[in-house]
Amino acid sequence: HGDDVEVQECAFAALQSLTFDGPEIRARLASQGGVEVMMGAMLAHKGLIKVQLAGAIVLARLAIDSGEHCARIATSIESILHALEVLKDDARIQECGLSTLARLASLDDATRLRVAAHGAPEAALDALRLHHGAAKVQVAGFDVVRSVVDSEEGQARIVAHSGIVVLLTSLRSHQSLLRVQQAGWYILETLLAPGNSESQAEAAALGVAELARDASEEHRGDALIQRCCCNVLGELAGLGRGGDGQAELVGIGCVPALLAALGAHPAERLIQASGLEALSRCVQGLQEAQVQAASFGALEIVIAALRSHGEDLSVQRSACAVVRDMTEGQPLHRSRFLTMGVSDLVLCAVASFVDDVCLQERGCVALRSLAADGFPVPLRGSDGPLAGLAPVLEPLQEEELDEDVDPMALKRKTFVRALVAPHSLHLPTRLSARGGAEALSAALRAHLDALEVVEPIADLLRR
């Protein structure tokens, strides 16, 4: 009776009722070709609302049970998306259809690509926009969008379909709904990753910083949300560093929020790395932010991170950046940091990750800043702590460099000559007694071509 509308509507209503009788009944329905029959009927009766609604509900119930059912349902992606299109105003069918698509997308890469290729991201964003007050639709819609956001194509489609506006609206409307917040911030973290400056600027203009601050406070115990919010704030601070954007983040209280996240998750290395990186970008060059950060425990938090995550390159990089930025122009912070033993920890980082030019630059600049108030002592001599530098540096004095061809190399040679001059090799007492010479020697050996490493070491030693 495929052409009988009344029969079709009654049959779908009966199937819908049966699927609530337990997994055994649903398994029998699927094993006897129920999925294929329903898919055909949904395609044949695209205008029958009762058929489309009941079909979406039945498929959603079957998708919950097993991957075997999902494999059969995967052939009905087109039917589901058509139902979503025909019944846009029906929150129940949107919830069921989107949850089914999200479940299918989680099966494997091939099915996920099929779901995306048929227009699932756009359908999900439309549902999120139209049903912003329906929590279950929001959860299902975010799950679908999240399933495609890890690919460049998926990101482009989300952004092109006004996805950032839709996502932020939903996050504002459901600040206490954990699943929405988790999925939403994961999606935003990906969309606002380094290199996506246009998306970052759009999100910043729409107030994403305030949302990230509030989400971090609302869901302090959730590690995923904390990491994502830290990364989002870090990218926003980097986008506007030295200008109004950076000052705005500080002005709306993002620094205390970052420090609270760091303090709540000391063992989570991803939070420590992203939170410290964001903190560095917020306080760099802003004395007001540096003072505020110190008052909320930034110095103690960065010391704890350096100690607890000594083997994690990302954490050490970010922590050294915070030391660098918190001590530049701040003698009180330098004094407190040194009292806490930060020079030992930074030197340890420099010695542990000799091959990483980013850490070497950050660590050496941090050491230079820490030594600004110290008293240099002459260490040049055959038995001095810096004697090991001579074999590295002295051959470079004879290097023939053409300023027109390689001006940076000439500048590097100038630094090297200053370093090996008999009267100029000095190291602050605090550093020379703690293996500083060995760590800096290793840094120079590995990065003689990196001016950003050589320059701070030269300045430090000449002090």
Side-chain angles (χ1 to χ4, degrees):
H1 301 281
D3 296 329
D4 191 311
V5 172
E6 186 175 354
V7 169
Q8 293 296 310
E9 290 180 341
C10 290
F12 268 82
L15 290 171
Q16 176 184 338
S17 178
L18 286 172
T19 56
F20 286 91
D21 289 340
E24 292 183 2
I25 297 296
R26 294 194 289 272
R28 287 176 58 189
L29 172 62
S31 65
Q32 294 178 22
V35 172
E36 291 76 13
V37 171
M38 285 186 295
M39 180 186 69
M42 290 174 72
L43 287 174
H45 299 284
K46 293 181 178 181
L48 294 182
I49 293 177
K50 291 183 179 179
V51 168
Q52 299 298 320
L53 176 58
I57 292 173
V58 172
L59 292 174
R61 297 292 298 176
L62 290 172
I64 295 173
D65 289 339
S66 73
E68 181 182 352
H69 294 171
C70 286
R72 288 177 172 169
I73 296 169
T75 62
S76 64
I77 292 173
E78 185 179 350
S79 300
I80 296 170
L81 285 165
H82 176 75
L84 293 175
E85 176 64 26
V86 171
L87 301 172
K88 280 188 174 183
D89 294 332
D90 192 306
R92 183 69 188 281
I93 200 169
Q94 296 297 313
E95 172 203 338
C96 293
L98 291 172
S99 63
T100 302
L101 291 173
R103 178 74 175 91
L104 295 178
S106 69
L107 287 179
D108 51 54
D109 288 342
T111 307
R112 177 179 54 78
L113 291 173
R114 286 177 57 197
V115 169
H118 281 80
E122 291 80 5
L125 290 168
D126 289 340
L128 290 171
R129 183 186 296 109
L130 190 58
H131 300 281
H132 57 81
K136 291 183 178 180
V137 175
Q138 297 293 308
V139 170
F142 269 91
D143 285 345
V144 172
V145 177
R146 182 175 181 175
S147 72
V148 302
V149 76
D150 289 327
S151 71
E152 290 185 6
E153 180 187 355
Q155 293 167 26
R157 288 170 61 182
I158 293 168
V159 173
H161 208 67
S162 302
I164 291 177
V165 175
V166 174
L167 294 169
L168 294 178
T169 300
S170 296
L171 287 171
R172 283 194 179 92
S173 300
H174 300 278
Q175 293 192 28
S176 299
L177 190 54
L178 181 61
R179 281 190 60 185
V180 165
Q181 294 293 315
Q182 287 176 329
W185 286 109
Y186 178 87
I187 295 166
L188 282 173
E189 176 191 38
T190 307
L191 293 178
L192 307 183
N196 298 336
S197 57
E198 291 185 6
S199 294
Q200 293 168 4
E202 179 184 356
L206 293 169
V208 70
E210 292 90 338
L211 270 180
R213 176 203 62 196
D214 294 343
S216 181
E217 293 174 356
E218 176 79 17
H219 301 281
R220 184 73 69 213
D222 189 90
L224 174 63
I225 293 176
Q226 296 301 312
R227 185 205 76 200
C228 294
C229 288
C230 286
N231 276 325
V232 168
L233 290 174
E235 291 306 318
L236 294 177
L239 183 70
R241 194 183 309 178
D244 294 339
Q246 184 188 13
E248 180 184 353
L249 290 182
V250 175
I252 65 174
C254 290
V255 168
L258 288 169
L259 289 166
L262 289 164
H265 299 273
E268 293 285 346
R269 62 180 185 82
L270 294 178
I271 294 177
Q272 293 296 308
S274 59
L276 289 169
E277 189 69 25
L279 179 64
S280 164
R281 295 179 180 184
C282 282
V283 303
Q284 188 177 53
L286 290 181
Q287 290 194 353
E288 174 189 353
Q290 295 162 2
V291 172
Q292 183 188 47
S295 70
F296 279 90
L299 276 62
E300 292 79 5
I301 284 173
V302 74
I303 289 288
L306 284 165
R307 284 187 175 137
S308 301
H309 300 279
E311 297 181 357
D312 190 283
L313 174 59
S314 296
V315 175
Q316 296 295 307
R317 277 180 181 170
S318 299
C320 285
V322 175
V323 175
R324 174 197 67 193
D325 297 327
M326 287 291 293
T327 54
E328 193 67 36
Q330 294 285 356
L332 180 59
H333 295 172
R334 289 196 289 268
S335 177
R336 287 181 58 194
F337 256 140
L338 289 169
T339 301
M340 296 176 185
V342 75
S343 56
D344 293 358
L345 297 170
V346 175
L347 282 168
C348 182
V350 170
S352 298
F353 299 99
V354 174
D355 294 331
D356 188 80
V357 67
C358 177
L359 185 141
Q360 295 299 315
E361 182 270 331
R362 292 179 174 192
C364 290
V365 173
L367 291 170
R368 177 176 63 182
S369 181
L370 287 167
D373 305 315
F375 296 94
V377 292
L379 295 173
R380 176 69 175 176
S382 59
D383 57 349
L386 292 183
L389 290 177
V392 184
L393 301 174
E394 286 173 349
L396 295 172
Q397 294 184 92
E398 308 305 323
E399 191 176 17
E400 293 297 329
L401 298 172
D402 186 342
E403 182 176 1
D404 295 329
V405 175
D406 193 356
M408 294 300 285
L410 184 64
K411 187 175 182 181
R412 174 172 61 82
K413 182 177 180 181
T414 302
F415 281 124
V416 168
R417 283 176 171 168
L419 285 171
V420 298
H423 62 279
S424 67
L425 279 182
H426 298 79
L427 194 65
T429 306
R430 291 180 185 273
L431 303 184
S432 63
R434 291 172 167 81
E438 292 78 3
L440 298 178
S441 175
L444 282 171
R445 287 177 187 273
H447 303 288
L448 277 170
D449 291 326
L451 189 63
E452 63 269 30
V453 176
V454 174
E455 185 173 0
I457 294 178
D459 289 346
L460 176 64
L461 297 181
R462 284 184 299 181
R463 287 195 177 117

